Amino acid sequence: MPHSFIPPLLSADEPPAAAVETPRGKAPFLLLCDHAGKAIPQSLGDLGLPPGEIERHIGWDIGALGVSRHLSRQLDATLIHQRYSRLVIDCNRAPGIASSIPHLSELTPIPGNISIDAEHALAREREVFLPYHHAIDEHLGQRQLRELPTAVIAMHSFTPVFKGQSRPWQVGLLFNRYPEFALLLAELLREEGDLQVGINEPYAMTDATDYTLPVHAERRGLPYVGIEIRQDLVADERGQQAWAKRFARLLPQAWQRWQI
């Protein structure tokens, strides 16, 4: 049977999924923000969600883009981020797995995802997921050609309470096969004296639950870290600036220690 025509996911007046800021940044860091945006393509309406739901953590990583932008400017580091909601397609999950286009996020059903067919899922992958990862791949390829050393920093945020459980950490650092850079940064954060630092908390990085760092950093053998900041600390501009200032000070120190 011939395939039915699937119209484009994004209309001509909607922005592309991937955004690159400070493209010629001189710092040895590439900042990534998988869940920066909460936009939903017009063609998907509101995904069947009640008003206000997309503003919650299920829709995006609250505060992560604000911290990333301040950090990009303070470090002179390239930032690549993704404009559309993780509920359209999660750019930190392998396409095709259940959490890529989730039917349920935490305790909230996502009606617009429940009956999605393979062709519409492929359209989301083609127009949102792939452009973002192509942008990362292209940037890292260019840095490699220019022999520029690079550490990949993935910026995220997490809820203070998850399914009724309070989370005590202000910040968590994630890694899988190559822990060295993350553990150096953890040491520096602990030296601050005012933080409870999660090591692979509140999430642990695995190939099944993560995509960006395993694919772009681990496969290239690059130093990396996933940074998770508790959302109540970065929900406003003041908190975002404070955390960016902290990481603008500590990431170069971690980089220096890693190079020794």
Side-chain angles (χ1 to χ4, degrees):
M1 288 183 65
H3 286 290
S4 58
F5 172 71
I6 303 294
L9 178 72
L10 300 176
S11 63
D13 62 347
E14 290 182 288
V20 182
E21 301 186 15
T22 319
R24 294 177 181 82
K26 293 182 173 60
F29 305 110
L30 173 61
L31 305 174
L32 304 177
C33 200
D34 301 333
H35 305 138
K38 57 185 174 184
I40 301 175
Q42 296 163 20
S43 62
L44 300 181
D46 57 10
L47 288 173
L49 291 167
E53 285 293 282
I54 200 70
E55 305 291 332
R56 295 175 47 228
H57 179 70
I58 63 169
W60 62 319
D61 273 2
I62 295 164
L65 179 59
V67 176
S68 300
R69 280 179 160 155
H70 287 303
L71 193 53
S72 171
R73 289 191 286 266
Q74 290 176 39
L75 288 173
D76 190 26
T78 299
L79 164 63
I80 302 176
H81 62 89
Q82 203 283 108
R83 292 184 168 102
Y84 291 92
S85 172
R86 69 202 310 166
L87 298 181
V88 175
I89 187 167
D90 193 323
C91 285
N92 193 32
R93 300 290 184 274
I97 68 172
S99 57
S100 168
I101 301 176
H103 294 181
L104 186 75
S105 184
E106 295 180 15
L107 302 174
T108 304
I110 316 300
N113 291 349
I114 289 169
S115 58
I116 187 171
D117 60 32
E119 288 184 333
H120 283 89
L122 196 60
R124 297 191 196 187
E125 180 183 343
R126 184 174 60 244
E127 295 188 51
V128 176
F129 181 93
L130 288 176
Y132 175 64
H133 288 287
H134 285 161
I136 297 169
D137 197 51
E138 183 179 357
H139 184 78
L140 286 171
Q142 288 173 356
R143 290 188 68 88
Q144 193 169 14
L145 281 173
R146 293 161 62 197
E147 298 184 341
L148 296 173
T150 307
V152 184
I153 316 296
M155 302 296 294
H156 294 266
S157 67
F158 66 94
T159 55
V161 178
F162 182 71
K163 295 183 178 179
Q165 294 291 316
S166 290
R167 290 160 153 178
W169 315 279
Q170 291 91 352
V171 61
L173 301 182
L174 277 53
F175 55 86
N176 188 5
R177 293 173 183 84
Y178 304 114
E180 295 84 1
F181 186 79
L183 293 178
L184 286 171
L185 184 59
E187 189 178 302
L188 288 163
L189 282 164
R190 285 178 173 146
E191 287 172 7
E192 299 279 277
D194 61 345
L195 298 174
Q196 189 163 338
V197 182
I199 302 298
N200 274 333
E201 296 282 4
Y203 310 107
M205 183 182 293
T206 69
D207 289 340
T209 57
D210 291 81
Y211 182 91
T212 299
L213 289 174
V215 168
H216 295 294
E218 289 196 334
R219 288 185 188 175
R220 282 184 170 86
L222 296 175
Y224 69 88
V225 62
I227 295 175
E228 294 269 0
I229 308 171
R230 208 175 65 206
Q231 285 170 1
D232 57 314
L233 305 176
V234 290
D236 60 22
E237 178 72 14
R238 184 178 177 184
Q240 291 163 21
Q241 287 183 359
W243 277 90
K245 188 176 179 182
R246 192 190 296 255
F247 279 114
R249 179 165 45 81
L250 297 182
L251 280 168
Q253 292 179 39
W255 178 251
Q256 279 187 319
R257 291 189 186 185
W258 185 80
Q259 290 183 302
I260 293 172

